[in-house]
Each structure stands twice: as structure tokens, then as C-alpha cells.
Amino acid sequence: MKDTIREMFPILREKINNHPLIYMDNAATTQKPQQVIESISSFYKHQNANVHRGVHVLSQRATDLFEKAREEIRVFLNAASSEEILFVRGATEGINLVAASFGRSQLKPGDEIILSEMEHHANVVPWQMLARELNFSIKVIPFHDRGELDLEAYKKLFTSRTRLVGVVHVSNVLGTVNPIKEISAIAHDHGVPILVDGAQALAHEKIDVQAVDCDMYTISAHKAYGPTGIGALYVKENLLETWPPYQGGGEMIEQVEFGKYPLFSGLPYRFEAGTPNVAGAVGFAEALRFIREIGYKSIQNHEKELLAYGRERLLSIPKLTLYGDAKEKTAIFSFLIDGIHPLDIGSFLDARGIAVRTGHHCAQPLMTHYGISGTARASLALYNTKDEIDYFVECLKEMVKLFI
Ligand code: PMP
């Protein structure tokens, strides 16, 4: 990727512990290009007001920007209608909305849902909490050691009581890109809707909810060069129409009277109680424009090169084990070095300006699969370079020499 792209990200000029920053924690959150930072700043300087209620000019400007952002997301995901796009805080809230609204109103004791063994806790814990309350059970799609879901085992999990499939598009630990079109088709063969956690996909994979034919798809802006605290949930309109509201409050009602049940707004407002994160939506839309301008093709070409290069370089380190070697994967390296605690790897690299994450990465069932408690994880994005990988590998080799 050209230097001009790195120059778009002001934070990449930071020094960390007297070293140039090498940011390899993109699965946790990505850095933000100048145009996203400026769009948020400009919103607060020139357009800030609350949306939907005002007749004054600023409120109309803010409302226009907010609804334009929704339309930008619709186009980006190729949803059929902007009424299918709900603003949420992020993927976590998107899944909690599905659990609270669809789950609480439609799941019954004895029902079953299917999740995968490689889910992030965001797509496990809301269901476990609800399962205890409603008495349904959770079945789990296992994965093979190299990090690919066992689709034969998946097909066998369906029964007449299966009500939902929930699957991560891209694993935040293994980088596996799951075949969600195929997984959706299998769910639909059984008449079961599917929820896809796309938190890790948006920055790396073209998403087309109609081509994949999933029923629900959730994303977080901050994982794809946008701001924190904003994301979106796509839900097919025919499903969304049958769901009760998620939260109550302003913006989501037509009429409220004591002694009567409130009359709710139409879609999508019924699901957006309270003042939304308008500046976040503006920044989110700008991040999508940024991705579109660069194009997934260039992003993927670059990241695939980094993946192949990094994989080969890392495997040259003695006693290093890489977790996740799926045929389709993003540039994520989860690894352990025999005899060195992952926390020590993280601290050693941090002292040299390299940001990686260590721990279970909110995917403890996945860790249990491998019989480990955590890994060190370097997750790359479009601004990472081969030079950075070289330095990262050099540091790890130095560490092996010192520690083992
Ligand atoms: N799912 C996956 C696969 C993730 O990686 C994350 C973030 N680590 C989430 C869900 C939750 O996203 P957020 O924290 O933005 O709500």
C-alpha cells in the first residue's frame, strides 16, 4: 500500500516508547484517517443539533446528515431498504438488540439456537443470559483445528425446535472468513433465520447482505476506520416488522398517553429510542467513503500479501505456534511461543513501539478448543507494511534468544 495511505492516518506519526508506532491491534480497533476525524470535527463546528424534532436549520442539517449516513450504510451493505438499517452502538448492541427484541418475544422453553465455537463473547453471552430466562438451549458448531467450521456437524444440529443460527463472519482470533452464504443457505433449508456478526469483516471483506441472503448482519464503525460508539444492525424488513421495540423513550413513538399503550413509530425509528450518536453516524459514513475510495480489491491485495509474508516470517521463529490457518482468512496472527507467557510478548513488543493484544480476545470457548487460555495477536490493516512485519519478527527473535 502506498505511503500516501499511511499519511492519511495522523496517529501513525506517533512515537511510542521512543520508537515509531507499529500498530498491529486492528482487530480491537482500527486507527482513523484524517477525513473521518475532520468530518466529526466539522459536524460539531457547523451542523450540530438534535435530529428529527427541530424545524430550525441546524436540526435539519443534522437530520439530513444522519439519514444520509443511514443511506450510505444501506448502499454499502446492499440492503434493499434504509428501513432495514438500525443505528446501534456497535456489534455488541446489535446482537443484544436481536436477543432482546426477537429473542425475548419469539423464543420459547425447549427451543434451540445454534452458535459457533469461534464466536466472540458478544454473540454468546446475550444468548446465555436469555437462555437462562427463557429456558431454550444453545447448540454449538465445532471447528477443525486449522480454524474452519465443521459444516457437516453444523447440518446435523438442526431439529424442529431450531429457531436461530448465529455465526461470526470473520473470527477476531483466527481471521477465518466463514462461508456465510453457504451457512445461510443451510439455515434457510431448515426455515431458520441467521444472524451474522460482521464486526471483523467490514474493514476487509465486501459485504452484500442480499447476495449472502442473511437475515441479520451487524457491524461496528470503529473496526473499519470509523469512530467508536456507533454501528449498525441490518434486519430484513419482513422480520423487523414482527419485532417489538428494543428500548422505549423519545424518537420511537407516535403517541403517548397515560392509561394507554404507546403507539410506536414506523421502521427504523421504532428501534432508535433517545438521541442518537449523530456525530458518530457522520464519521461512520465518512469511513465507508474512505473504504470505497480505496476499494476492497486494493485492500485485500495488500492484506493478502501481508498475510502470506507474515505467516512465512513468523513460522521461521523457533517454538512459535500459529493458531488459525484457514484457506480463507484475514491478516490476523494469533500465536504462542513455547516457554514465554503471551503477556510478556505484549510488554516486550510494546517497549519497542509495537502494539499487539494478548489474552483470550473475548473468545474463551475458542481458547478451550485449543486447550489454551490466551494468545498474542497481531492483527493487520491496510496501513501495515512488510517492513513493520520484519521489525516485529526481529523483535520476537530477539525475545526468544533472551527468554529461552
Ligand atoms: N464480534 C467480534 C468478532 C469482535 O471482534 C468484536 C470486537 N472485538 C465484537 C463482536 C464486538 O464489537 P464491539 O465491541 O464494537 O461492539
Side-chain angles (χ1 to χ4, degrees):
M1 199 59 73
K2 295 182 204 89
D3 281 351
T4 47
I5 289 204
R6 287 185 65 80
E7 283 158 16
M8 290 176 177
F9 290 81
I11 207 167
L12 296 180
R13 297 194 277 274
E14 285 292 301
K15 288 256 185 322
I16 303 292
N17 294 320
N18 293 321
H19 292 273
L21 166 66
I22 294 184
Y23 188 76
M24 295 188 167
D25 194 16
N26 294 286
T29 198
T30 54
Q31 298 302 346
K32 319 306 169 200
Q34 184 66 28
Q35 71 193 70
V36 168
I37 299 168
E38 261 170 25
S39 71
I40 295 166
S41 159
S42 167
F43 172 76
Y44 281 122
K45 282 181 190 160
H46 304 294
Q47 290 121 354
N48 178 53
N50 209 332
V51 289
H52 298 315
R53 280 174 299 223
V55 289
H56 62 81
V57 169
L58 281 186
S59 180
Q60 283 164 10
R61 273 190 204 165
T63 304
D64 284 351
L65 282 168
F66 187 64
E67 291 306 326
K68 247 166 102 180
R70 193 191 307 275
E71 174 62 10
E72 189 78 39
I73 296 165
R74 182 199 73 74
V75 170
F76 212 80
L77 299 183
N78 193 31
S81 148
S82 62
E83 296 181 351
E84 299 177 318
I85 304 295
L86 310 180
F87 279 111
V88 286
R89 278 192 296 123
T92 302
E93 190 178 40
I95 295 163
N96 274 277
L97 191 158
V98 177
S101 190
F102 157 82
R104 179 163 290 111
S105 66
Q106 299 191 19
L107 296 177
K108 304 271 180 300
D111 280 350
E112 296 163 3
I113 67 165
I114 297 175
L115 303 174
S116 92
E117 198 184 8
M118 64 170 79
E119 293 310 299
H120 186 281
H121 294 167
N123 201 21
V124 177
V125 181
W127 299 112
Q128 289 179 320
M129 288 162 63
L130 198 64
R132 168 174 281 198
E133 204 182 306
L134 301 184
N135 247 323
F136 61 85
S137 58
I138 299 173
K139 292 186 161 180
V140 182
I141 313 167
F143 65 82
H144 299 295
D145 280 354
R146 66 184 289 190
E148 288 167 347
L149 288 177
D150 182 343
L151 295 189
E152 290 311 309
Y154 165 57
K155 289 176 192 162
K156 292 186 190 134
L157 295 178
F158 286 89
T159 72
S160 60
R161 299 305 304 265
T162 310
R163 298 286 175 256
L164 176 77
V165 172
V167 167
V168 70
H169 190 172
V170 176
S171 161
N172 64 315
V173 180
L174 308 170
T176 308
V177 182
N178 285 316
I180 52 167
K181 187 170 179 178
E182 197 181 340
I183 295 171
S184 284
I186 294 166
H188 290 159
D189 281 348
H190 292 88
V192 175
I194 175 167
L195 159 67
V196 179
D197 171 1
Q200 294 294 340
L202 185 61
H204 314 285
E205 291 288 316
K206 174 83 193 95
I207 298 160
D208 183 330
V209 290
Q210 293 191 78
V212 163
D213 196 22
C214 60
D215 302 280
M216 299 150 244
Y217 195 101
T218 190
I219 49 180
S220 291
H222 74 100
K223 308 265 190 203
Y225 312 109
T228 51
I230 186 87
L233 171 69
Y234 157 81
V235 185
K236 270 186 191 163
E237 195 169 344
N238 62 331
L239 290 183
L240 200 53
E241 274 168 352
T242 68
W243 296 5
Y246 165 53
Q247 293 180 327
E251 309 273 358
M252 51 79 75
I253 48 81
E254 287 295 337
Q255 208 180 351
V256 180
E257 268 178 72
F258 281 116
K260 279 192 181 162
Y261 199 64
L263 197 58
F264 300 122
S265 307
L267 299 179
Y269 309 111
R270 194 193 309 162
F271 289 91
E272 294 178 355
T275 301
N277 182 356
V278 188
V282 169
F284 190 0
E286 194 59 40
L288 297 182
R289 269 173 231 128
F290 167 79
I291 293 176
R292 185 178 308 118
E293 279 156 21
I294 293 175
Y296 278 112
K297 217 170 182 166
S298 318
I299 294 174
Q300 285 181 339
N301 284 344
H302 177 67
E303 291 181 356
K304 280 208 178 333
E305 241 182 75
L306 294 181
L307 172 64
Y309 185 73
R311 183 180 178 278
E312 196 185 314
R313 296 294 329 268
L314 281 168
L315 289 175
S316 73
I317 299 172
K319 297 186 184 254
L320 185 142
T321 307
L322 267 180
Y323 292 88
D325 201 18
K327 221 165 127 222
E328 295 297 328
K329 73 168 264 172
T330 58
I332 288 186
F333 303 109
S334 275
F335 63 96
L336 285 174
I337 302 176
D338 227 9
I340 309 181
H341 195 280
L343 254 179
D344 290 329
I345 298 177
S347 309
F348 189 90
L349 293 173
D350 182 53
R352 285 150 186 80
I354 304 173
V356 299
R357 187 148 296 244
T358 62
H360 55 62
H361 316 300
C362 299
Q364 284 179 327
L366 183 153
M367 298 297 155
T368 303
H369 173 103
Y370 290 113
I372 56 178
S373 58
T375 66
R377 180 189 70 186
S379 50
L380 309 186
L382 57 78
Y383 38 66
N384 290 113
T385 65
K386 286 186 180 171
D387 287 348
E388 288 181 327
I389 291 176
D390 285 341
Y391 181 60
F392 166 59
V393 169
E394 246 173 64
C395 291
L396 288 175
K397 284 188 169 165
E398 187 189 335
M399 191 177 188
V400 169
K401 264 196 210 143
L402 284 171
F403 277 67
I404 304 178

